[in-house]
Amino acid sequence: LPASIVEAEGGEGAVLVRFIRNPKNYRENLAVLRIDMDAVDLNATLSKAGPAGTSTTFLFNARKEMVASVNWDDAQEIPKEILMNIPAGEGAGQNFNEKLVMGQKVLLAEERINGTDWTMITMMPYSSFMGEISELKKKTWGITFFIIFAAAILIYVISSAITRRISRLERHMQISGEKPEMIREEINYNDEVGSLYHSYNEMVYKYQKSLEERYYMGQELKNAELLALQAQINPHFLYNTLDTINWLVYQNRGKEVSTIVKS
């Protein structure tokens, strides 16, 4: 019951009255249990039970008497749309309804208080929680865009670090042309790009070694050809010299023979 109906100290709050039945004769009342609840404590409990903000919470009994309220002027008349949602009798359960109360679209949350005939009704204006939902959507979109932007920057930095090294290697290969040179800069990469750098340097090193070997082999081949030619020339020279001396002797030209032999 509301405290205004029953004599109570302070005149504010709620009073819970319960008959104590005779267990041997259920029709006989042995006593009446009365619990006085202070308005401050009751309102604090209702404030925790209902959502915060612009919502209004009512506590009604089965006779549609308002026991307590939060964010509502007791002197103001209770809208009939709310009174129509108050069930009769005791029980337990929860229900949600969309209603038009005083020209405003609201959501009514009804919850039966088990063990009593009380019903807690919370009236939440659509504008209040729709505004919160809209604000939550804005925050969600903001966080989403921030994550996408941060991810895009991170991807750009990582991809640039990779493509920059590959472009540097490609530029070095183009400049080298037919005479490739090893990359002299210090390579501290342990990834696939670092493997490309090391493979390129190894290829250039082998190429330069093969050029040196070809050069030295050409030199040796030329020397061998000269030695072979010299080996072919020497016997002919000796034969021609002796043949010339023979003919000079045959012609009795002794002085010329002496000159040839000395030479």
Short mmCIF file of all heavy atoms in Angstrom, two decimals, residues 194-225:
data_model
loop_
_atom_site.label_atom_id
_atom_site.label_comp_id
_atom_site.label_asym_id
_atom_site.label_seq_id
_atom_site.Cartn_x
_atom_site.Cartn_y
_atom_site.Cartn_z
N GLY A 194 65.81 -9.69 -48.74
CA GLY A 194 67.22 -9.89 -48.40
C GLY A 194 67.82 -11.06 -49.16
O GLY A 194 68.97 -11.01 -49.60
N SER A 195 67.02 -12.13 -49.34
CA SER A 195 67.50 -13.28 -50.11
C SER A 195 67.75 -12.90 -51.56
O SER A 195 68.72 -13.36 -52.19
CB SER A 195 66.47 -14.42 -50.04
OG SER A 195 66.29 -14.84 -48.70
N LEU A 196 66.89 -12.02 -52.13
CA LEU A 196 67.09 -11.54 -53.49
C LEU A 196 68.40 -10.76 -53.61
O LEU A 196 69.16 -10.94 -54.57
CB LEU A 196 65.92 -10.66 -53.92
CG LEU A 196 64.60 -11.36 -54.27
CD1 LEU A 196 63.53 -10.34 -54.55
CD2 LEU A 196 64.79 -12.26 -55.47
N TYR A 197 68.67 -9.89 -52.63
CA TYR A 197 69.91 -9.11 -52.64
C TYR A 197 71.13 -10.04 -52.60
O TYR A 197 72.08 -9.88 -53.38
CB TYR A 197 69.95 -8.17 -51.43
CG TYR A 197 69.29 -6.83 -51.68
CD1 TYR A 197 67.91 -6.71 -51.76
CD2 TYR A 197 70.05 -5.67 -51.81
CE1 TYR A 197 67.31 -5.49 -51.97
CE2 TYR A 197 69.46 -4.44 -52.02
CZ TYR A 197 68.08 -4.36 -52.11
OH TYR A 197 67.49 -3.14 -52.33
N HIS A 198 71.10 -11.01 -51.69
CA HIS A 198 72.24 -11.93 -51.58
C HIS A 198 72.40 -12.77 -52.84
O HIS A 198 73.53 -13.01 -53.30
CB HIS A 198 72.05 -12.83 -50.36
CG HIS A 198 72.21 -12.10 -49.06
ND1 HIS A 198 73.42 -11.56 -48.64
CD2 HIS A 198 71.32 -11.82 -48.07
CE1 HIS A 198 73.28 -10.99 -47.46
NE2 HIS A 198 72.01 -11.13 -47.08
N SER A 199 71.27 -13.22 -53.42
CA SER A 199 71.33 -14.02 -54.65
C SER A 199 71.89 -13.20 -55.80
O SER A 199 72.69 -13.70 -56.61
CB SER A 199 69.93 -14.53 -55.01
OG SER A 199 69.42 -15.36 -53.98
N TYR A 200 71.50 -11.92 -55.88
CA TYR A 200 72.01 -11.05 -56.94
C TYR A 200 73.52 -10.86 -56.79
O TYR A 200 74.28 -10.96 -57.77
CB TYR A 200 71.29 -9.70 -56.89
CG TYR A 200 71.88 -8.69 -57.84
CD1 TYR A 200 71.59 -8.72 -59.20
CD2 TYR A 200 72.71 -7.67 -57.38
CE1 TYR A 200 72.13 -7.80 -60.07
CE2 TYR A 200 73.26 -6.74 -58.24
CZ TYR A 200 72.96 -6.80 -59.59
OH TYR A 200 73.49 -5.89 -60.45
N ASN A 201 73.98 -10.57 -55.58
CA ASN A 201 75.42 -10.39 -55.35
C ASN A 201 76.20 -11.67 -55.68
O ASN A 201 77.29 -11.62 -56.26
CB ASN A 201 75.67 -10.00 -53.90
CG ASN A 201 75.45 -8.52 -53.67
OD1 ASN A 201 75.36 -7.74 -54.62
ND2 ASN A 201 75.34 -8.11 -52.42
N GLU A 202 75.64 -12.82 -55.32
CA GLU A 202 76.31 -14.08 -55.61
C GLU A 202 76.38 -14.32 -57.11
O GLU A 202 77.42 -14.78 -57.64
CB GLU A 202 75.55 -15.22 -54.93
CG GLU A 202 76.24 -16.57 -55.06
CD GLU A 202 75.51 -17.66 -54.31
OE1 GLU A 202 74.48 -17.35 -53.66
OE2 GLU A 202 75.94 -18.82 -54.40
N MET A 203 75.31 -13.97 -57.83
CA MET A 203 75.29 -14.13 -59.28
C MET A 203 76.34 -13.23 -59.94
O MET A 203 77.07 -13.66 -60.84
CB MET A 203 73.90 -13.80 -59.82
CG MET A 203 73.75 -13.93 -61.33
SD MET A 203 72.18 -13.27 -61.91
CE MET A 203 72.42 -11.51 -61.60
N VAL A 204 76.39 -11.96 -59.47
CA VAL A 204 77.37 -11.03 -60.04
C VAL A 204 78.79 -11.50 -59.74
O VAL A 204 79.69 -11.44 -60.60
CB VAL A 204 77.15 -9.61 -59.47
CG1 VAL A 204 78.27 -8.67 -59.91
CG2 VAL A 204 75.80 -9.06 -59.94
N TYR A 205 79.03 -12.02 -58.54
CA TYR A 205 80.36 -12.51 -58.17
C TYR A 205 80.79 -13.66 -59.08
O TYR A 205 81.92 -13.71 -59.59
CB TYR A 205 80.36 -12.95 -56.71
CG TYR A 205 81.63 -13.62 -56.26
CD1 TYR A 205 82.78 -12.88 -56.01
CD2 TYR A 205 81.68 -15.01 -56.11
CE1 TYR A 205 83.95 -13.50 -55.61
CE2 TYR A 205 82.84 -15.63 -55.71
CZ TYR A 205 83.97 -14.86 -55.46
OH TYR A 205 85.13 -15.49 -55.06
N LYS A 206 79.87 -14.60 -59.32
CA LYS A 206 80.18 -15.73 -60.20
C LYS A 206 80.43 -15.25 -61.63
O LYS A 206 81.30 -15.78 -62.33
CB LYS A 206 79.05 -16.74 -60.16
CG LYS A 206 78.93 -17.49 -58.84
CD LYS A 206 77.80 -18.49 -58.88
CE LYS A 206 77.72 -19.28 -57.57
NZ LYS A 206 76.60 -20.26 -57.58
N TYR A 207 79.66 -14.26 -62.06
CA TYR A 207 79.83 -13.72 -63.41
C TYR A 207 81.21 -13.09 -63.57
O TYR A 207 81.91 -13.31 -64.58
CB TYR A 207 78.74 -12.71 -63.71
CG TYR A 207 78.84 -12.05 -65.04
CD1 TYR A 207 78.50 -12.73 -66.22
CD2 TYR A 207 79.29 -10.73 -65.15
CE1 TYR A 207 78.61 -12.12 -67.45
CE2 TYR A 207 79.39 -10.12 -66.39
CZ TYR A 207 79.05 -10.81 -67.53
OH TYR A 207 79.16 -10.21 -68.76
N GLN A 208 81.61 -12.29 -62.58
CA GLN A 208 82.93 -11.65 -62.64
C GLN A 208 84.05 -12.69 -62.60
O GLN A 208 85.06 -12.56 -63.30
CB GLN A 208 83.07 -10.66 -61.48
CG GLN A 208 82.16 -9.44 -61.61
CD GLN A 208 82.26 -8.53 -60.40
OE1 GLN A 208 82.83 -8.90 -59.38
NE2 GLN A 208 81.68 -7.34 -60.51
N LYS A 209 83.90 -13.71 -61.79
CA LYS A 209 84.91 -14.77 -61.74
C LYS A 209 85.02 -15.50 -63.08
O LYS A 209 86.14 -15.82 -63.53
CB LYS A 209 84.56 -15.76 -60.63
CG LYS A 209 84.70 -15.21 -59.23
CD LYS A 209 86.14 -14.91 -58.86
CE LYS A 209 86.95 -16.17 -58.70
NZ LYS A 209 88.33 -15.90 -58.26
N SER A 210 83.85 -15.73 -63.70
CA SER A 210 83.89 -16.42 -65.00
C SER A 210 84.57 -15.56 -66.06
O SER A 210 85.31 -16.07 -66.93
CB SER A 210 82.47 -16.78 -65.44
OG SER A 210 81.70 -15.62 -65.68
N LEU A 211 84.37 -14.21 -66.01
CA LEU A 211 85.05 -13.32 -66.94
C LEU A 211 86.57 -13.37 -66.75
O LEU A 211 87.34 -13.41 -67.72
CB LEU A 211 84.54 -11.88 -66.76
CG LEU A 211 83.14 -11.57 -67.27
CD1 LEU A 211 82.81 -10.10 -67.02
CD2 LEU A 211 83.02 -11.88 -68.76
N GLU A 212 87.02 -13.36 -65.49
CA GLU A 212 88.45 -13.43 -65.22
C GLU A 212 89.04 -14.76 -65.72
O GLU A 212 90.14 -14.79 -66.31
CB GLU A 212 88.69 -13.28 -63.71
CG GLU A 212 88.37 -11.89 -63.18
CD GLU A 212 88.56 -11.80 -61.68
OE1 GLU A 212 88.98 -12.82 -61.08
OE2 GLU A 212 88.29 -10.73 -61.10
N GLU A 213 88.30 -15.83 -65.46
CA GLU A 213 88.80 -17.14 -65.92
C GLU A 213 88.89 -17.19 -67.44
O GLU A 213 89.87 -17.73 -68.00
CB GLU A 213 87.87 -18.24 -65.39
CG GLU A 213 87.96 -18.44 -63.88
CD GLU A 213 86.95 -19.46 -63.38
OE1 GLU A 213 86.18 -19.98 -64.23
OE2 GLU A 213 86.92 -19.73 -62.16
N ARG A 214 87.89 -16.64 -68.12
CA ARG A 214 87.91 -16.61 -69.58
C ARG A 214 89.09 -15.78 -70.09
O ARG A 214 89.75 -16.13 -71.08
CB ARG A 214 86.60 -16.05 -70.12
CG ARG A 214 85.42 -17.00 -69.99
CD ARG A 214 84.13 -16.35 -70.44
NE ARG A 214 84.22 -15.92 -71.83
CZ ARG A 214 83.25 -15.23 -72.43
NH1 ARG A 214 82.15 -14.88 -71.77
NH2 ARG A 214 83.38 -14.87 -73.69
N TYR A 215 89.39 -14.68 -69.42
CA TYR A 215 90.52 -13.83 -69.82
C TYR A 215 91.84 -14.59 -69.69
O TYR A 215 92.67 -14.60 -70.63
CB TYR A 215 90.53 -12.56 -68.99
CG TYR A 215 91.74 -11.69 -69.22
CD1 TYR A 215 91.84 -10.89 -70.37
CD2 TYR A 215 92.78 -11.68 -68.30
CE1 TYR A 215 92.96 -10.11 -70.58
CE2 TYR A 215 93.91 -10.89 -68.51
CZ TYR A 215 93.99 -10.10 -69.65
OH TYR A 215 95.09 -9.33 -69.86
N TYR A 216 92.04 -15.20 -68.53
CA TYR A 216 93.29 -15.91 -68.31
C TYR A 216 93.41 -17.13 -69.24
O TYR A 216 94.50 -17.46 -69.74
CB TYR A 216 93.41 -16.35 -66.86
CG TYR A 216 93.67 -15.19 -65.92
CD1 TYR A 216 92.80 -14.91 -64.87
CD2 TYR A 216 94.80 -14.39 -66.08
CE1 TYR A 216 93.03 -13.85 -64.03
CE2 TYR A 216 95.04 -13.32 -65.22
CZ TYR A 216 94.15 -13.04 -64.20
OH TYR A 216 94.37 -12.00 -63.36
N MET A 217 92.27 -17.78 -69.46
CA MET A 217 92.31 -18.92 -70.39
C MET A 217 92.66 -18.45 -71.80
O MET A 217 93.40 -19.14 -72.54
CB MET A 217 90.95 -19.63 -70.39
CG MET A 217 90.68 -20.43 -69.11
SD MET A 217 89.05 -21.19 -69.11
CE MET A 217 89.20 -22.29 -70.52
N GLY A 218 92.17 -17.28 -72.23
CA GLY A 218 92.50 -16.73 -73.54
C GLY A 218 93.98 -16.41 -73.66
O GLY A 218 94.61 -16.66 -74.71
N GLN A 219 94.53 -15.84 -72.57
CA GLN A 219 95.95 -15.54 -72.57
C GLN A 219 96.79 -16.81 -72.71
O GLN A 219 97.76 -16.86 -73.49
CB GLN A 219 96.32 -14.82 -71.27
CG GLN A 219 95.77 -13.40 -71.17
CD GLN A 219 96.44 -12.45 -72.15
OE1 GLN A 219 95.88 -12.17 -73.21
NE2 GLN A 219 97.64 -12.00 -71.83
N GLU A 220 96.42 -17.80 -71.93
CA GLU A 220 97.18 -19.05 -71.99
C GLU A 220 97.06 -19.71 -73.37
O GLU A 220 98.03 -20.29 -73.88
CB GLU A 220 96.68 -20.00 -70.90
CG GLU A 220 97.01 -19.53 -69.48
CD GLU A 220 96.43 -20.44 -68.43
OE1 GLU A 220 95.75 -21.42 -68.83
OE2 GLU A 220 96.63 -20.18 -67.22
N LEU A 221 95.86 -19.62 -73.97
CA LEU A 221 95.67 -20.21 -75.29
C LEU A 221 96.55 -19.50 -76.33
O LEU A 221 97.17 -20.14 -77.20
CB LEU A 221 94.20 -20.12 -75.68
CG LEU A 221 93.82 -20.68 -77.06
CD1 LEU A 221 94.16 -22.17 -77.16
CD2 LEU A 221 92.35 -20.44 -77.36
N LYS A 222 96.63 -18.20 -76.23
CA LYS A 222 97.44 -17.43 -77.18
C LYS A 222 98.91 -17.79 -77.02
O LYS A 222 99.64 -17.95 -78.03
CB LYS A 222 97.22 -15.94 -76.96
CG LYS A 222 97.89 -15.05 -77.99
CD LYS A 222 97.58 -13.59 -77.72
CE LYS A 222 96.12 -13.31 -77.91
NZ LYS A 222 95.81 -11.86 -77.76
N ASN A 223 99.38 -17.90 -75.77
CA ASN A 223 100.77 -18.28 -75.54
C ASN A 223 101.07 -19.67 -76.10
O ASN A 223 102.13 -19.93 -76.67
CB ASN A 223 101.09 -18.25 -74.05
CG ASN A 223 101.07 -16.83 -73.50
OD1 ASN A 223 101.28 -15.87 -74.25
ND2 ASN A 223 100.83 -16.69 -72.20
N ALA A 224 100.06 -20.54 -75.91
CA ALA A 224 100.27 -21.90 -76.43
C ALA A 224 100.35 -21.90 -77.94
O ALA A 224 101.17 -22.63 -78.53
CB ALA A 224 99.12 -22.80 -75.95
N GLU A 225 99.54 -21.09 -78.60
CA GLU A 225 99.57 -21.00 -80.06
C GLU A 225 100.92 -20.44 -80.55
O GLU A 225 101.50 -20.92 -81.54
CB GLU A 225 98.42 -20.14 -80.56
CG GLU A 225 97.05 -20.78 -80.37
CD GLU A 225 95.92 -19.85 -80.79
OE1 GLU A 225 96.20 -18.65 -81.04
OE2 GLU A 225 94.76 -20.30 -80.84
#
